[in-house]
């Protein structure tokens, strides 16, 4: 047994870390997130849906095909990208992704320039652009998020997710702000020339992202201290087990163990995404049709929404430091589901926006504020060498997000909004009860993980190469590591959400009658809404 003096010296050798320590990969990755969110929301959430509608001649069936292309292409490419990200250095994929991104922007500009109303040739060109956008999202988004996770010490990933969410949501305000200005100045009458100009500006603002992504580097990632909770060392230079942090043999309901945590979180996210797909895309239509909200007011709601989500995310992250991440995810999700159910029961108040808008904002604030906490748990419990391939499962949730909107469109058409909201609440409650609650007592608090990493640092002091392995890399210093840092493949909710939303993403499903007659603000607000939902959570 170590003496008190040895323990004291070890504690002094590993000074306590205060919060998230930024390094080169984190600075570049978060900068890319902000620039991309700003540029993408200039045109894709305000102009592109209506532009695509005009090119297709108002054919909602064609829009349905186009809506599925980005998700389908991402689903097909995510698995091989995950394998390559595990096998080779991620920076090579980012370089390749940068080339694909440049081609994507060039084709976007060319297709926009050539576009004409009711032209099948032009529509097919835009479909190619959308499919390439999904491929690019899989190539760039996955390795970038992998480097962010592997550049953060275990125990501090929720802080990184908080930064990511705040930067994304604040930057995304560009979309509704531009839409609000255009509504105010043009009275909802946009010409194709104006739409093309805005798309050109958005594409130009996206170009810096390509160069930023190429400077992310595996050599600047961390080593052992960014490993899975299941593989952290024991503080004595030996490989550890989860038992160093909590009881590895503890079971819930006689079969749920800590090694099943990622699978249960995946199932929970899948149920939340499936339920959200039925409802989220129809909220702006609901406010426009049933609540009689004006376009300018609707844009104001979606300007306030990111700020509400940011505030709730900060509160959720701070609370999780004290009580635990799952201890925050479960009640916040439950309250969000309650407000979804409230929107179903308050049908007598549908034409009173001053009642429905606050309920809606509270619903989104609670449900969308815990997505980062969920992903930080997944990153903590999946070993590096399996993260890329394992996280390709998230593409299924992404595909379900769009696919379940077909059911949502049918429900809205046949049963109405009230029944659709109620069914959504039931689906999400089922997911929370069967896949969230069982792992509540299993997930370790981040403070316990931080203590384990501190012991690792203490054991590394004076250990030569071991000390180098555990040292925080500086912004300009190469990082020595014998442990290859592995990648996390693209999760459409965490990478670069939706390079170009199509009209179906913003206006619902082609089963919904009268969709093309809705105000243009509905399409723009809906696309912006999905961006925020994907960046924050799955609900």
């Amino acid at each position: 047994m170590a003496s008190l003096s040895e323990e004291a010296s070890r504690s002094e050798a590993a000074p306590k870390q205060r919060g998230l320590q930024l390094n080169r990969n984190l600075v570049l990755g978060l900068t890319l997130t902000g620039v991309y969110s700003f540029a993408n929301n200039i045109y894709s959430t305000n102009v592109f849906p209506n532009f695509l509608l005009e090119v297709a001649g108002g054919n909602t069936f064609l829009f349905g095909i186009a809506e599925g292309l980005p998700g389908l292409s991402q689903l097909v490419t995510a698995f091989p990208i995950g394998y390559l990200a595990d096998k080779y250095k991620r920076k090579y994929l980012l370089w390749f992704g940068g080339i694909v991104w440049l081609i994507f922007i060039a084709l976007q500009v060319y297709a926009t320039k050539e576009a004409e109303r009711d032209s099948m040739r032009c529509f097919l060109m835009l479909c190619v652009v959308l499919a390439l956008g999904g491929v690019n999202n899989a190539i760039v988004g996955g390795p970038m998020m992998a480097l962010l996770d592997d550049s953060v010490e275990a125990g501090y990933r929720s802080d990184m997710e908080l930064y990511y969410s705040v930067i994304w949501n604040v930057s995304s305000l560009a979309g509704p702000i531009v839409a609000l200005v255009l509504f105010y100045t043009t009275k909802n009458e946009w010409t194709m020339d104006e739409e093309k100009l805005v798309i050109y500006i958005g594409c130009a603002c996206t170009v810096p992202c390509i160069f930023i992504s190429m400077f992310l580097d595996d050599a600047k990632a961390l080593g052992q201290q960014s490993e899975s909770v299941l593989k952290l060392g024991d503080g004595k230079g030996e490989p550890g087990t989860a038992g160093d942090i909590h009881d590895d043999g503890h079971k819930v309901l006689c079969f749920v163990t800590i090694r099943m945590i990622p699978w249960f979180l995946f199932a929970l996210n899948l149920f939340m995404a499936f339920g959200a797909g039925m409802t989220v895309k129809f909220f702006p239509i609901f406010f426009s049709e049933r609540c009689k909200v004006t376009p300018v007011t609707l844009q104001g709601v979606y300007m306030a929404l990111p700020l509400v989500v940011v505030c709730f995310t900060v509160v959720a992250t701070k609370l999780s430091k004290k009580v635990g991440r799952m201890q925050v995810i479960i009640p916040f999700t439950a309250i969000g589901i309650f407000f979804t159910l409230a929107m179903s029961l308050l049908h007598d108040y549908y034409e009173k926006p001053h009642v429905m808008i606050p309920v809606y904002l509270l619903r989104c604030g609670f449900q969308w504020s815990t997505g980062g906490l969920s992903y930080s748990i997944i990153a903590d419990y999946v070993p590096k060498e399996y993260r890329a391939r394992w996280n390709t499962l998230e593409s299924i949730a992404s595909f379900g997000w769009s696919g379940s909107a077909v059911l949502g469109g049918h429900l809205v058409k046949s049963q109405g909004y009230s029944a659709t909201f109620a069914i959504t609440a039931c689906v999400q409650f089922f997911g929370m009860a069967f896949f969230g609650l069982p792992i509540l007592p299993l997930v370790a608090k981040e403070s316990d993980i931080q203590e384990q990493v501190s012991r690792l640092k203490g054991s590394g002091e004076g250990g030569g190469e071991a000390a180098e392995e555990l040292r925080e890399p500086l912004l300009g210093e190469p990082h020595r590591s014998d442990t290859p840092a592995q990648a996390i493949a693209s999760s459409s909710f965490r990478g670069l959400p939706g390079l170009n939303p199509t009209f179906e993403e913003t206006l619902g499903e082609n089963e919904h009658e009268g969709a093309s007659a809705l105000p243009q603000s509905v399409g723009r607000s809906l696309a912006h809404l999905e961006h925020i939902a994907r960046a924050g959570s799955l609900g």
Side-chain angles (χ1 to χ4, degrees), residues 457-482:
K457 288 183 174 180
S459 66
E461 286 294 329
E465 193 168 332
E468 287 294 321
E469 168 71 13
L470 295 170
R471 187 171 297 159
E472 182 79 22
L474 299 178
L475 293 181
E477 251 186 80
H479 174 65
R480 293 180 55 193
S481 175
D482 295 329

mmCIF file of all heavy atoms in Angstrom, residues 457-482:
data_model
loop_
_atom_site.group_PDB
_atom_site.id
_atom_site.type_symbol
_atom_site.label_atom_id
_atom_site.label_comp_id
_atom_site.label_asym_id
_atom_site.label_seq_id
_atom_site.Cartn_x
_atom_site.Cartn_y
_atom_site.Cartn_z
ATOM 1 N N LYS A 457 -1.909 10.810 -14.819
ATOM 2 C CA LYS A 457 -0.887 11.851 -14.969
ATOM 3 C C LYS A 457 0.148 11.747 -13.867
ATOM 4 O O LYS A 457 1.348 11.914 -14.087
ATOM 5 C CB LYS A 457 -1.538 13.234 -14.952
ATOM 6 C CG LYS A 457 -2.323 13.570 -16.202
ATOM 7 C CD LYS A 457 -2.846 14.981 -16.105
ATOM 8 C CE LYS A 457 -3.512 15.408 -17.396
ATOM 9 N NZ LYS A 457 -4.033 16.777 -17.319
ATOM 10 N N GLY A 458 -0.353 11.471 -12.637
ATOM 11 C CA GLY A 458 0.565 11.353 -11.519
ATOM 12 C C GLY A 458 1.534 10.211 -11.709
ATOM 13 O O GLY A 458 2.725 10.326 -11.433
ATOM 14 N N SER A 459 1.037 9.070 -12.200
ATOM 15 C CA SER A 459 1.907 7.920 -12.411
ATOM 16 C C SER A 459 2.850 8.150 -13.577
ATOM 17 O O SER A 459 3.899 7.530 -13.661
ATOM 18 C CB SER A 459 1.081 6.664 -12.677
ATOM 19 O OG SER A 459 0.375 6.787 -13.903
ATOM 20 N N GLY A 460 2.469 9.074 -14.490
ATOM 21 C CA GLY A 460 3.331 9.334 -15.644
ATOM 22 C C GLY A 460 4.463 10.269 -15.350
ATOM 23 O O GLY A 460 5.444 10.323 -16.069
ATOM 24 N N GLU A 461 4.375 11.081 -14.280
ATOM 25 C CA GLU A 461 5.427 12.036 -13.961
ATOM 26 C C GLU A 461 6.718 11.301 -13.662
ATOM 27 O O GLU A 461 6.759 10.363 -12.875
ATOM 28 C CB GLU A 461 5.028 12.887 -12.747
ATOM 29 C CG GLU A 461 3.970 13.925 -13.048
ATOM 30 C CD GLU A 461 4.448 14.992 -14.001
ATOM 31 O OE1 GLU A 461 5.651 15.307 -13.979
ATOM 32 O OE2 GLU A 461 3.633 15.494 -14.776
ATOM 33 N N GLY A 462 7.772 11.772 -14.292
ATOM 34 C CA GLY A 462 9.065 11.167 -14.063
ATOM 35 C C GLY A 462 9.222 9.857 -14.790
ATOM 36 O O GLY A 462 10.231 9.174 -14.630
ATOM 37 N N GLY A 463 8.272 9.488 -15.590
ATOM 38 C CA GLY A 463 8.332 8.213 -16.284
ATOM 39 C C GLY A 463 8.829 8.300 -17.692
ATOM 40 O O GLY A 463 8.604 7.408 -18.494
ATOM 41 N N GLY A 464 9.484 9.402 -18.068
ATOM 42 C CA GLY A 464 10.072 9.528 -19.395
ATOM 43 C C GLY A 464 9.012 9.512 -20.474
ATOM 44 O O GLY A 464 8.208 10.415 -20.612
ATOM 45 N N GLU A 465 9.032 8.452 -21.278
ATOM 46 C CA GLU A 465 8.120 8.362 -22.412
ATOM 47 C C GLU A 465 6.674 8.308 -21.971
ATOM 48 O O GLU A 465 5.781 8.831 -22.612
ATOM 49 C CB GLU A 465 8.464 7.117 -23.234
ATOM 50 C CG GLU A 465 7.794 7.114 -24.597
ATOM 51 C CD GLU A 465 8.377 6.042 -25.488
ATOM 52 O OE1 GLU A 465 9.546 5.684 -25.303
ATOM 53 O OE2 GLU A 465 7.628 5.574 -26.360
ATOM 54 N N ALA A 466 6.400 7.676 -20.827
ATOM 55 C CA ALA A 466 5.025 7.625 -20.316
ATOM 56 C C ALA A 466 4.525 9.007 -19.982
ATOM 57 O O ALA A 466 3.364 9.340 -20.191
ATOM 58 C CB ALA A 466 4.974 6.731 -19.087
ATOM 59 N N ALA A 467 5.412 9.837 -19.444
ATOM 60 C CA ALA A 467 5.017 11.201 -19.115
ATOM 61 C C ALA A 467 4.687 11.982 -20.381
ATOM 62 O O ALA A 467 3.750 12.779 -20.414
ATOM 63 C CB ALA A 467 6.139 11.900 -18.343
ATOM 64 N N GLU A 468 5.482 11.757 -21.439
ATOM 65 C CA GLU A 468 5.197 12.435 -22.695
ATOM 66 C C GLU A 468 3.837 12.023 -23.238
ATOM 67 O O GLU A 468 3.107 12.813 -23.806
ATOM 68 C CB GLU A 468 6.283 12.086 -23.720
ATOM 69 C CG GLU A 468 7.620 12.760 -23.451
ATOM 70 C CD GLU A 468 7.532 14.277 -23.617
ATOM 71 O OE1 GLU A 468 6.844 14.720 -24.553
ATOM 72 O OE2 GLU A 468 8.106 14.985 -22.806
ATOM 73 N N GLU A 469 3.517 10.721 -23.068
ATOM 74 C CA GLU A 469 2.247 10.208 -23.575
ATOM 75 C C GLU A 469 1.055 10.898 -22.937
ATOM 76 O O GLU A 469 0.030 11.108 -23.560
ATOM 77 C CB GLU A 469 2.171 8.702 -23.304
ATOM 78 C CG GLU A 469 0.812 8.070 -23.521
ATOM 79 C CD GLU A 469 0.439 8.000 -24.979
ATOM 80 O OE1 GLU A 469 1.320 8.202 -25.833
ATOM 81 O OE2 GLU A 469 -0.727 7.767 -25.262
ATOM 82 N N LEU A 470 1.207 11.299 -21.664
ATOM 83 C CA LEU A 470 0.073 11.845 -20.922
ATOM 84 C C LEU A 470 0.066 13.352 -20.886
ATOM 85 O O LEU A 470 -0.793 13.946 -20.269
ATOM 86 C CB LEU A 470 0.098 11.299 -19.490
ATOM 87 C CG LEU A 470 -0.108 9.791 -19.400
ATOM 88 C CD1 LEU A 470 0.183 9.304 -17.994
ATOM 89 C CD2 LEU A 470 -1.503 9.421 -19.820
ATOM 90 N N ARG A 471 1.035 13.967 -21.524
ATOM 91 C CA ARG A 471 1.135 15.416 -21.449
ATOM 92 C C ARG A 471 0.168 16.071 -22.418
ATOM 93 O O ARG A 471 0.007 15.629 -23.542
ATOM 94 C CB ARG A 471 2.563 15.844 -21.775
ATOM 95 C CG ARG A 471 2.806 17.345 -21.568
ATOM 96 C CD ARG A 471 4.285 17.667 -21.699
ATOM 97 N NE ARG A 471 5.035 16.990 -20.668
ATOM 98 C CZ ARG A 471 6.341 16.750 -20.752
ATOM 99 N NH1 ARG A 471 7.017 17.091 -21.804
ATOM 100 N NH2 ARG A 471 6.959 16.129 -19.756
ATOM 101 N N GLU A 472 -0.439 17.166 -22.002
ATOM 102 C CA GLU A 472 -1.376 17.899 -22.855
ATOM 103 C C GLU A 472 -0.610 18.522 -24.016
ATOM 104 O O GLU A 472 0.366 19.231 -23.818
ATOM 105 C CB GLU A 472 -2.040 19.009 -22.035
ATOM 106 C CG GLU A 472 -3.072 19.812 -22.802
ATOM 107 C CD GLU A 472 -4.375 19.060 -22.900
ATOM 108 O OE1 GLU A 472 -4.612 18.176 -22.088
ATOM 109 O OE2 GLU A 472 -5.140 19.379 -23.811
ATOM 110 N N PRO A 473 -0.985 18.281 -25.274
ATOM 111 C CA PRO A 473 -0.251 18.869 -26.387
ATOM 112 C C PRO A 473 -0.511 20.362 -26.480
ATOM 113 O O PRO A 473 -1.629 20.827 -26.319
ATOM 114 C CB PRO A 473 -0.832 18.132 -27.608
ATOM 115 C CG PRO A 473 -2.188 17.733 -27.182
ATOM 116 C CD PRO A 473 -2.097 17.454 -25.705
ATOM 117 N N LEU A 474 0.555 21.126 -26.750
ATOM 118 C CA LEU A 474 0.418 22.558 -26.934
ATOM 119 C C LEU A 474 -0.059 22.846 -28.341
ATOM 120 O O LEU A 474 -0.036 21.999 -29.228
ATOM 121 C CB LEU A 474 1.765 23.255 -26.679
ATOM 122 C CG LEU A 474 2.318 23.060 -25.254
ATOM 123 C CD1 LEU A 474 3.684 23.742 -25.140
ATOM 124 C CD2 LEU A 474 1.373 23.608 -24.216
ATOM 125 N N LEU A 475 -0.484 24.097 -28.572
ATOM 126 C CA LEU A 475 -1.062 24.440 -29.860
ATOM 127 C C LEU A 475 -0.087 24.196 -31.006
ATOM 128 O O LEU A 475 -0.478 23.780 -32.079
ATOM 129 C CB LEU A 475 -1.499 25.916 -29.861
ATOM 130 C CG LEU A 475 -2.658 26.240 -28.928
ATOM 131 C CD1 LEU A 475 -2.996 27.711 -29.054
ATOM 132 C CD2 LEU A 475 -3.876 25.402 -29.238
ATOM 133 N N GLY A 476 1.187 24.449 -30.777
ATOM 134 C CA GLY A 476 2.124 24.314 -31.871
ATOM 135 C C GLY A 476 3.091 23.166 -31.711
ATOM 136 O O GLY A 476 4.036 23.039 -32.467
ATOM 137 N N GLU A 477 2.920 22.327 -30.688
ATOM 138 C CA GLU A 477 3.857 21.257 -30.395
ATOM 139 C C GLU A 477 3.373 19.941 -30.967
ATOM 140 O O GLU A 477 2.219 19.582 -30.831
ATOM 141 C CB GLU A 477 3.970 21.077 -28.873
ATOM 142 C CG GLU A 477 5.289 21.540 -28.316
ATOM 143 C CD GLU A 477 5.371 21.183 -26.852
ATOM 144 O OE1 GLU A 477 5.667 20.009 -26.548
ATOM 145 O OE2 GLU A 477 5.139 22.065 -26.034
ATOM 146 N N PRO A 478 4.248 19.169 -31.617
ATOM 147 C CA PRO A 478 3.839 17.828 -32.038
ATOM 148 C C PRO A 478 3.645 16.945 -30.835
ATOM 149 O O PRO A 478 4.316 17.089 -29.831
ATOM 150 C CB PRO A 478 5.014 17.359 -32.909
ATOM 151 C CG PRO A 478 6.182 18.153 -32.442
ATOM 152 C CD PRO A 478 5.626 19.476 -31.992
ATOM 153 N N HIS A 479 2.731 16.018 -30.935
ATOM 154 C CA HIS A 479 2.399 15.132 -29.809
ATOM 155 C C HIS A 479 2.990 13.761 -30.047
ATOM 156 O O HIS A 479 2.793 13.153 -31.091
ATOM 157 C CB HIS A 479 0.883 15.013 -29.671
ATOM 158 C CG HIS A 479 0.461 14.011 -28.646
ATOM 159 N ND1 HIS A 479 0.719 14.169 -27.319
ATOM 160 C CD2 HIS A 479 -0.188 12.827 -28.787
ATOM 161 C CE1 HIS A 479 0.227 13.130 -26.663
ATOM 162 N NE2 HIS A 479 -0.313 12.308 -27.548
ATOM 163 N N ARG A 480 3.750 13.270 -29.096
ATOM 164 C CA ARG A 480 4.326 11.948 -29.175
ATOM 165 C C ARG A 480 3.361 10.935 -28.609
ATOM 166 O O ARG A 480 2.901 11.051 -27.494
ATOM 167 C CB ARG A 480 5.643 11.892 -28.391
ATOM 168 C CG ARG A 480 6.739 12.733 -28.984
ATOM 169 C CD ARG A 480 7.994 12.602 -28.147
ATOM 170 N NE ARG A 480 8.356 11.187 -28.020
ATOM 171 C CZ ARG A 480 9.256 10.761 -27.140
ATOM 172 N NH1 ARG A 480 9.855 11.584 -26.319
ATOM 173 N NH2 ARG A 480 9.543 9.471 -27.079
ATOM 174 N N SER A 481 3.083 9.934 -29.379
ATOM 175 C CA SER A 481 2.162 8.903 -28.901
ATOM 176 C C SER A 481 2.395 7.618 -29.661
ATOM 177 O O SER A 481 2.499 7.618 -30.873
ATOM 178 C CB SER A 481 0.715 9.353 -29.079
ATOM 179 O OG SER A 481 -0.158 8.331 -28.727
ATOM 180 N N ASP A 482 2.485 6.535 -28.936
ATOM 181 C CA ASP A 482 2.589 5.236 -29.556
ATOM 182 C C ASP A 482 1.218 4.615 -29.767
ATOM 183 O O ASP A 482 1.078 3.586 -30.393
ATOM 184 C CB ASP A 482 3.432 4.288 -28.686
ATOM 185 C CG ASP A 482 4.873 4.770 -28.584
ATOM 186 O OD1 ASP A 482 5.337 5.392 -29.559
ATOM 187 O OD2 ASP A 482 5.509 4.535 -27.547
#
